Amino acid sequence: RNSALATLLLDGSGRSDIAIGDAGADKMASMLAINTTLTALSLGSNNVGDSGASALADQMLVNSTLTHLTINNNLVGIPGAERMANVLLSNATLLHISVSGDSRNSQLIPDSTAHKLAHVLETNRRVTKFDLSRIQCSPEAACAIGMAIRRRPPTSALS
């Protein structure tokens, strides 16, 4: 049991033969349930899909130390994005979140998901960085996200 590790960067190459995938993300989620020192976790380009993203999201409901989460360039689809958005509505710990898309799994997220993300941006004032690059949504959804950012108070920085 490690009591000093604060940052864990496990960014992969996207190759399926060496990526952690959903099984590895599930193990990382189990670790987050008991870890009290890790503040940053990066699992970019690891072929993490919906079940891995959902497992990580579920642990964000109980983990109170992780402040930076990066799961960009993975295979997270609409179900994983929905779960992450639902959890982020009530998470009070995460400050930096990167869930940017992957050209291998480019999907148009439904307006309902985009509106949940907009609601997260508007109501979760602790979030100071929310990377949604390469996420595809309708113009109306993009407008909702833009308006949510605009409605944040000036003291609530967002990059």
Side-chain angles (χ1 to χ4, degrees):
R1 183 169 182 174
N2 188 311
S3 61
L5 186 66
T7 301
L8 181 58
L9 306 175
L10 289 176
D11 294 321
S13 65
R15 289 181 32 199
S16 60
D17 58 331
I18 59 173
I20 67 166
D22 284 332
D26 191 51
K27 297 282 187 203
M28 288 289 117
S30 296
M31 175 270 305
L32 289 174
I34 59 170
N35 185 282
T36 59
T37 60
L38 193 68
T39 59
L41 176 62
S42 183
L43 301 175
S45 301
N46 264 299
N47 292 340
V48 174
D50 291 324
S51 66
S54 294
L56 289 166
D58 290 344
Q59 289 311 315
M60 294 297 93
L61 291 171
V62 295
N63 181 284
S64 61
T65 57
L66 198 69
T67 59
H68 294 66
L69 177 63
T70 301
I71 57 169
N72 54 335
N73 299 319
N74 277 291
L75 302 173
V76 179
I78 293 166
E82 280 276 336
R83 184 69 190 130
M84 190 65 72
N86 286 333
V87 167
L88 291 174
L89 286 172
S90 59
N91 179 283
T93 308
L94 285 172
L95 303 173
H96 295 203
I97 306 156
S98 180
V99 292
S100 63
D102 185 334
S103 59
R104 299 173 294 165
N105 191 34
S106 183
Q107 298 181 50
L108 181 71
I109 62 169
D111 284 356
S112 61
T113 303
H115 283 281
K116 284 181 186 173
L117 292 172
H119 189 62
V120 167
L121 289 170
E122 191 171 349
T123 60
N124 188 334
R125 302 295 165 88
R126 290 189 42 84
V127 173
T128 58
K129 180 179 181 185
F130 202 157
D131 181 0
L132 296 172
S133 58
R134 295 187 306 275
I135 300 291
Q136 295 182 27
C137 61
S138 72
E140 293 80 15
C143 184
I145 290 170
M147 291 303 293
I149 293 169
R150 191 171 182 194
R151 284 191 289 267
R152 288 173 65 102
T155 57
S156 177
L158 184 67
S159 64

